[in-house]
Amino acid sequence: INAEYMGKKKEMRLVLSLCLLVALSAHAQQAMWPHGPNAIDMDSTTIGAWIGSPQKPMNPVLMDFYAPWCPHCNHLEPEFMNAAAQLKQAGSPVVLGMFNGDAESSVASQYGSSGFPTVMYFDSVGNRREYQGDRTASQIIQFVNQMTSSPQKAELSPSLRSAEKMRLHKVRLPKCYLSEKSQYTA
């Protein structure tokens, strides 16, 4: 009876070890890709490696500079992730990234972020253009496709034309600024 008990005890340890291993690997994947597998989390140590320059062209990047406490950012995130998944599946060369601009505001401002969310497109040599369109997956995809197509073929949709007019006339979509942070945190 003692040998049978010891065998079951070893079996139970093995099952528990496997459960722990699965839980830890899921946690490690979540830490590496907290926003999902289709957008890359970037920080001050990695963002420079993804943004191209004239000396070192890279794939274009669409970056979402966000703050965890910002309600506009929280509303944008699932749309951005949906766009990232669809663009990845379609084989788009554009890399979609997420950057916590609240945690590293000086770095975010170096890349053109002035509030949250700021969605910025960087072409292969680092030229940037702020996305001003609707915060929906379909409009984000349309913007990316427009930015990566030849100028002769690119045609702005009515909503992107409106966004361009808004940009020209300094009309801004809602953003959160650091002074508003206290309203949204506990």
Side-chain angles (χ1 to χ4, degrees):
I1 222 169
N2 200 4
E4 184 179 325
Y5 172 75
M6 293 305 285
K8 291 202 182 256
K9 189 174 178 180
K10 280 184 181 180
E11 186 179 310
M12 189 63 133
R13 280 186 192 162
L14 180 61
V15 168
L16 288 174
S17 296
L18 287 173
C19 289
L20 181 60
L21 182 61
V22 167
L24 287 175
S25 68
H27 178 70
Q29 182 177 357
Q30 178 67 17
M32 189 171 164
W33 302 99
H35 296 286
N38 299 307
I40 298 169
D41 267 327
M42 299 186 196
D43 60 26
S44 60
T45 63
T46 59
I47 191 170
W50 289 97
I51 307 294
S53 69
Q55 298 79 24
K56 185 181 174 190
M58 304 287 287
N59 280 8
V61 174
L62 186 67
M63 182 73 64
D64 176 15
F65 293 93
Y66 71 96
W69 49 264
C70 168
H72 306 296
C73 299
N74 293 329
H75 177 74
L76 172 61
E77 184 179 349
E79 295 293 327
F80 195 79
M81 292 299 102
N82 186 359
Q86 290 183 50
L87 287 164
K88 184 176 182 180
Q89 184 177 9
S92 174
V94 178
V95 174
L96 273 73
M98 304 283 292
F99 188 94
N100 185 340
D102 184 44
E104 302 182 83
S105 59
S106 64
V107 175
S109 66
Q110 289 174 0
Y111 287 95
S113 176
S114 59
F116 307 115
T118 296
V119 178
M120 193 71 69
Y121 177 83
F122 298 91
D123 69 11
S124 62
V125 294
N127 297 318
R128 66 183 181 220
R129 179 173 177 189
E130 186 171 353
Y131 172 70
Q132 293 288 326
D134 292 340
R135 293 177 183 156
T136 63
S138 62
Q139 290 299 299
I140 292 167
I141 291 167
Q142 187 171 1
F143 173 78
V144 166
N145 289 337
Q146 174 205 349
M147 296 305 292
T148 57
S149 67
S150 66
Q152 295 82 7
K153 293 181 182 175
E155 185 175 318
L156 290 175
S157 71
S159 61
L160 285 177
R161 275 195 296 270
S162 296
E164 189 63 16
K165 286 178 188 172
M166 287 170 44
R167 186 183 69 78
L168 292 173
H169 297 288
K170 306 287 188 221
V171 175
R172 295 284 184 190
L173 291 171
K175 284 191 176 187
C176 295
Y177 296 92
L178 290 177
S179 61
E180 298 175 15
K181 181 177 180 179
S182 61
Q183 295 178 28
Y184 301 107
T185 56

